[in-house]
Amino acid sequence: MSAEPTRTGEDSYEGGLRKVARVILLDTEDRILLLHGHEPDDPADDWWFTPGGGLEGGETREEAALRELAEETGITDVDLGPVLWRRRCSFPFAGRRWDQDEWYYLARTAQTATVAAGLTELERRSVAGARWWTCQELTRAHETVYPTRLAELLQRLLDEGPPARPVTLDTEIV
């Protein structure tokens, strides 16, 4: 019996540490794109998060970042930059616990219209839309945003540019 996690699409992922690529997508005005998610059966239990998701097959994290961005937003005209941050997180979602090793890539685009045409069935039941946020709006927001401290991290990125090497963020367990 294999100790490897079973994964036949995001909806049936079980066990193990899921490798995830996320995208800090900035437009020409330095706004960041976030997706609005919620528990599939409880839209009031909601939060904002960066585009991205788990690696499929033998793809690299860079390939997964671009694929997920295209599937979740329809945005394909991007310049994918370096890995900014890495974090481990664990959270309950859709009736199970998800344990993830996330890498956050910087990306830039002039394309701001979004179309979520490639969502999985679970994503269709749990993603309510997308919004471009200024850093100031994010700082003032009262909504839950993941990763936590995103406003502070974004401000540092805009002020100082990308770090010389990826920064390891605090582990988040929800």
Side-chain angles (χ1 to χ4, degrees):
M1 184 170 185
S2 172
E4 292 296 310
T6 302
R7 185 166 191 269
T8 56
E10 197 161 15
D11 295 31
S12 59
Y13 179 85
E14 293 178 16
L17 188 62
R18 182 174 184 239
K19 292 180 181 179
V20 171
R22 297 209 161 278
V23 181
I24 302 301
L25 184 64
L26 302 179
D27 71 2
T28 57
E29 298 174 28
D30 285 337
R31 296 180 305 169
I32 185 172
L33 183 67
L34 296 179
L35 303 179
H36 190 202
H38 58 82
E39 273 293 332
D41 298 323
D42 185 5
D45 184 0
D46 69 329
W47 56 87
W48 292 89
F49 65 103
T50 59
L55 277 63
E56 293 183 355
E59 72 185 348
T60 66
R61 291 208 196 224
E62 293 86 356
E63 291 167 340
L66 293 171
R67 176 186 50 75
E68 287 283 341
L69 189 62
E71 290 172 358
E72 294 175 347
T73 71
I75 295 176
T76 57
D77 183 16
V78 298
D79 292 321
L80 190 65
V83 177
L84 300 170
W85 316 308
R86 294 178 181 169
R87 83 165 179 160
R88 292 221 171 155
C89 61
S90 179
F91 54 90
F93 174 68
R96 62 182 167 262
R97 178 146 295 272
W98 298 71
D99 298 309
Q100 300 192 154
D101 174 30
E102 300 182 335
W103 291 17
Y104 289 80
Y105 287 85
L106 174 62
R108 293 217 171 246
T109 188
Q111 182 183 345
T112 57
T114 61
V115 178
L119 299 181
T120 66
E121 189 273 331
L122 178 58
E123 288 168 334
R124 283 192 299 278
R125 293 188 298 123
S126 61
V127 176
R131 176 183 162 196
W132 291 95
W133 297 70
T134 65
C135 191
Q136 185 177 30
E137 289 170 334
L138 199 54
T139 300
R140 291 191 316 245
H142 295 290
E143 291 93 342
T144 301
V145 177
Y146 294 110
T148 57
R149 297 181 39 233
L150 181 59
E152 172 190 332
L153 293 165
L154 179 59
Q155 187 63 63
R156 182 174 303 139
L157 173 64
L158 295 175
D159 289 346
E160 301 173 10
R165 54 185 185 273
V167 173
T168 300
L169 304 179
D170 293 336
T171 298
E172 289 191 51
I173 300 174
V174 179

